[in-house]
């Protein structure tokens, strides 16, 4: 479970509810006043309806299912990936490229496994790069599609909140003959805007941003793997491969690889 998401979501609700209570002298009834089922229906219902109109239904369903990917994100460790590439490079240098076939059967990363098998099969390096980069582009495209749905939801939330406000104002104007109802009607009219802002700024936009962040991390990981696979195919020194791949990492992550990795042994030269 992604701890930052849980902390952010829970703390956000705490701050919202606490701010309401502080402005109402800790009267719990003030929080209840912010719960209005018709307003929820027009805001959420309208947002979901517009999203389904604007996007194919399978894409909408996939986008909602993708929430599990940010609740329990895939483990991505570029340092570990570089170590694996260096290990494979050492194996290929000692026993030959064909020795990687047995090693590939134990790989959990399908992308790395595919790249290694292309190398083992003697595929031209340019074709290997083309195949892997094409897959990378399609993965990134699918990620953008999902992010786009959530970005669309974030734009529809405030819009449908405003529609709810307009409906409430029309109903309020129809009862202007009774001044005692104006305050309550105005509150109900405005609360849909509140719901719309929550949908956009507390749910949809953060989800889209989180997905984009994880997508960028995954793309970086796969770029590291592509360069590593091609370097192995070219027969480069494992230490040189490591130094090349470390260029993809931040200075902090480079240091975490360790002093031993930075001191090539004479036998590797």
């Amino acid at each position: 479970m992604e701890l930052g998401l849980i902390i952010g979501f829970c703390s956000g609700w705490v701050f919202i509810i606490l701010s309401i209570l502080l402005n109402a002298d800790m009267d719990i009834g003030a929080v209840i006043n912010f719960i209005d089922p018709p307003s929820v229906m027009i805001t959420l219902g309208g947002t979901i309806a517009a999203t389904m109109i604007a996007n194919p239904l399978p894409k909408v369903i996939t986008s909602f299912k993708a929430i599990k990917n940010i609740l329990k994100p895939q483990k991505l460790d570029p340092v570990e990936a570089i170590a694996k590439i260096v290990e494979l490079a050492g194996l290929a240098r000692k026993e030959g490229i064909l020795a990687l076939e047995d090693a590939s059967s134990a790989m959990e990363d399908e992308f790395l496994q595919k790249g290694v098998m292309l190398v083992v099969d003697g595929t031209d390096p340019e074709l290997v790069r083309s195949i892997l980069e094409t897959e990378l582009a399609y993965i990134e495209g699918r990620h953008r599609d999902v992010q786009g749905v959530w970005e669309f939801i974030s734009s529809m939330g405030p819009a449908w909140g405003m529609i709810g406000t307009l409906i409430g104002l029309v109903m309020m104007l129809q009862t202007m003959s009774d001044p005692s109802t104006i305050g309550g009607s105005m509150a109900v009219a405005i609360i849909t805007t509140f719901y719309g802002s929550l949908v956009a700024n507390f749910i949809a936009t953060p989800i889209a941003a989180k997905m984009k962040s994880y997508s960028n991390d995954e793309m970086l990981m796969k770029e590291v793997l592509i360069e590593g696979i091609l370097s192995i195919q070219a027969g480069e020194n494992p230490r040189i491969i490591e130094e090349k791949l470390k260029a993809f990492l931040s200075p902090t992550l480079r240091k975490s690889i360790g002093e031993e990795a930075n001191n090539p042994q004479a036998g590797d030269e």
Side-chain angles (χ1 to χ4, degrees):
M1 190 68 73
E2 212 286 313
L3 188 60
L5 187 147
I6 301 301
I7 293 175
F9 188 76
C10 293
S11 61
W13 280 115
V14 168
F15 292 141
I16 290 171
I17 293 174
L18 188 59
S19 66
I20 294 172
L21 291 175
L22 289 175
N23 280 285
D25 296 327
M26 304 306 288
D27 180 8
I28 193 66
V31 176
I32 297 175
N33 290 335
F34 275 78
I35 301 173
D36 185 61
S39 297
V40 173
M41 289 175 61
I42 188 63
T43 305
L44 291 182
T47 298
I48 293 172
T51 301
M52 289 192 293
I53 293 170
N55 299 275
L57 184 58
K59 185 186 292 188
V60 175
I61 294 173
T62 299
S63 300
F64 280 98
K65 287 182 177 179
I67 293 177
K68 69 177 183 294
N69 295 331
I70 63 173
L71 290 174
K72 193 175 182 181
Q74 177 185 2
K75 182 182 178 182
L76 298 173
D77 188 348
V79 174
E80 183 179 335
I82 291 175
K84 182 64 176 178
I85 290 292
V86 172
E87 178 187 339
L88 293 173
L91 179 63
R93 191 161 190 176
K94 292 176 182 177
E95 303 181 23
I97 289 291
L98 294 179
L100 299 179
E101 185 171 5
D102 292 335
S104 68
S105 61
M107 294 178 184
E108 296 181 0
D109 191 317
E110 294 181 1
F111 188 83
L112 176 60
Q113 185 181 52
K114 175 185 287 189
V116 169
M117 288 308 300
L118 287 171
V119 170
V120 170
D121 291 339
T123 310
D124 182 78
E126 287 302 315
L127 184 56
V128 173
R129 180 182 290 276
S130 176
I131 291 172
L132 296 179
E133 288 185 346
T134 297
E135 181 169 347
L136 187 65
Y138 275 94
I139 292 173
E140 189 174 17
R142 290 195 295 271
H143 290 180
R144 282 199 301 266
D145 284 344
V146 171
Q147 295 160 26
V149 170
W150 284 101
E151 289 168 354
F152 183 83
I153 291 173
S154 71
S155 67
M156 287 295 101
W160 278 91
M162 183 57 65
I163 290 173
T165 296
L166 294 174
I167 292 173
L169 290 174
V170 169
M171 296 178 65
M172 183 192 72
L173 293 173
Q174 291 176 343
T175 59
M176 286 290 287
S177 57
D178 185 0
S180 64
T181 65
I182 294 177
S185 299
M186 178 64 77
V188 171
I190 294 176
I191 205 168
T192 54
T193 301
F194 171 70
Y195 288 150
S197 296
L198 283 181
V199 169
N201 301 302
F202 189 48
I203 299 175
T205 298
I207 287 177
K210 198 81 163 181
M211 288 179 174
K212 184 176 182 179
S213 176
Y214 286 142
S215 177
N216 290 340
D217 291 344
E218 185 177 349
M219 294 304 104
L220 174 63
M221 174 75 81
K222 285 180 167 49
E223 287 173 3
V224 169
L225 294 178
I226 290 174
E227 290 301 321
I229 290 167
L230 293 172
S231 297
I232 292 173
Q233 187 176 29
E236 295 178 8
N237 185 300
R239 297 299 187 189
I240 299 301
I241 293 176
E242 182 179 71
E243 290 302 319
K244 179 193 293 187
L245 298 184
K246 282 166 62 178
F248 287 89
L249 306 181
S250 66
T252 302
L253 287 178
R254 292 180 198 177
K255 292 179 182 178
S256 69
I257 293 179
E259 290 292 331
E260 184 178 350
N262 297 323
N263 296 313
Q265 300 298 322
D268 292 329
E269 298 296 333

